[in-house]
Amino acid sequence: LPHQFEIGVRCPMAKLSYGSVYFRGVKGYYVYEYQDPVSGKSRMKKLIDEDGYAIYSPSPGNESKAIRLARPLAEELQSTVKLKNSEELLIRIAQQRRVLTTLNMPVAEVWNIYYSHPNRNAKSSNTVKNYLNYWNAFLQWLEKHHSEVKLAHQIARPIAIEYFTDRWSTGISEQGYNNNLQALQVIMKTLLGEDSHDMQNPFLALKKKRIASLARRQPFTSDEVKRIMILLEDSNSFDMEYKPQFRLLVKLMLNIGCRGEDACHLTWRMVDWQERLIRYRPIKTANSSGIEVEAPINDILLAELKTAQGYAVDEFLLPDVHRRYVSNPTGITHSINRLIDKAGIERSIPAKNTRRQFYTKQQIKDGVLVEVKAQNKISLKTMHSFRHTFVTMAAANGVDVRTI
């Protein structure tokens, strides 16, 4: 027999308009094999003649008979595929029309519409402020590079890719890049609706960057903590406004592991003196998990809290620090950084990654706003490091990981 009719050889004897005819098995029979247009899975159907018998024995005559029986099946499936493609085309057209209608707004109005949207998921003031900054930065870039874009639906995927390629080239960190990307993804997704197709959101095509472990904050060593606490003693000459309150701020972060933002907002009603607990709901997760934290008050923190009662003027544990944080949170960070520097602790290291050794920043030179390159450093020890120190010390002292 010719090769295509050898017993046991599975090869297509005829390709039809949709699918193929095969001779299958050692003591075989003819089959029609095709891809199911609905599920996409491969299917096989034994070919049965008019008398209800399968077609056995490979031969040119039987092949012609098998093709004749399979052809109507192929034509019917081909019609189904065309119909399915037409339906998908109509769906895509409808989706695109929805995009044009939903995003038929000036790019300058996008933020206001997002902010007042009933399904806006960014609730905390910090997140909202960050999202606004990211959107404004994108608008400035858009005006500079694509001034022809006036409506939101004109922000196409190539523009999104170009923007984030440009952002990455400035030396932005992986975390900064990811935060920026997430903000624009969420803003557009909110406007389009939760049931929108991913293809409609120009920013969803981009992937987040993998964060290198080097970029993460590091805990303070025991010696570094001692040096910091010595500077915060009342008898030490280190000058710091509201020093007693900053001492309590640091001890709160070190002894209950709270974030600096949470420590600045703690109130006296959150302190349970009888149970020796501080109960609070972290601001960062208040709108997501909403879980309340119960943190035990150890002897060191208890003594500092009793001292703080002497300068209590309102409901907050840190009245002046809280007021300053609300008006200028960066000022609290700068004060902590000055404390860390005074303790002789290296807060950052030069970027080893050549892409991040320099970054672009704007500054006024001779009365003109110009872009200059500056040496980039990676922050390793900041105010957030006190929280990392708590976790490290708790784990080293045998506290259960799930409890931490």
Side-chain angles (χ1 to χ4, degrees), residues 319-358:
D320 297 302
V321 171
H322 169 262
R323 186 175 63 254
R324 186 177 169 196
Y325 182 89
V326 171
S327 62
N328 180 26
T330 306
I332 302 297
T333 303
H334 288 167
S335 294
I336 293 294
N337 287 344
R338 191 169 72 89
L339 174 65
I340 296 171
D341 290 338
K342 185 65 177 179
I345 300 169
E346 190 67 36
R347 289 191 293 111
S348 59
I349 59 173
K352 293 182 179 179
N353 187 328
T354 54
R355 186 192 67 81
R356 294 197 60 203
Q357 284 181 351
F358 297 93

Side-chain angles (χ1 to χ4, degrees), residues 102-103 105-136 139 152 179-194 201:
T102 307
L103 298 183
M105 63 186 77
V107 290
E109 293 297 321
V110 166
W111 176 258
N112 291 334
I113 295 172
Y114 166 75
Y115 185 78
S116 59
H117 200 284
N119 294 331
R120 173 170 61 88
N121 62 349
K123 303 293 184 182
S124 75
S125 58
N126 282 346
T127 302
V128 170
K129 187 171 88 172
N130 289 337
Y131 277 24
L132 175 59
N133 290 338
Y134 288 134
W135 180 254
N136 285 338
L139 285 187
N179 291 344
N180 194 337
L181 176 59
Q182 178 177 323
L184 300 193
Q185 286 177 340
V186 168
I187 290 171
M188 295 300 284
K189 189 172 182 67
T190 302
L191 297 181
L192 287 166
E194 288 297 323
N201 191 328

Side-chain angles (χ1 to χ4, degrees), residues 17 51 87 90 98 101 105 107 130 145-146 185 231 244 248 252 258 269 272 298 309 317 323 336 346 351 383 404:
S17 59
D51 298 322
E87 289 177 349
L90 290 173
R98 176 184 175 184
T101 303
M105 63 186 77
V107 290
N130 289 337
H145 297 276
H146 290 279
Q185 286 177 340
L231 291 172
L248 176 56
L252 283 165
C258 63
R269 66 179 178 80
D272 185 333
N298 59 23
Q309 286 183 305
L317 271 63
R323 186 175 63 254
I336 293 294
E346 190 67 36
M383 183 163 71
I404 295 174

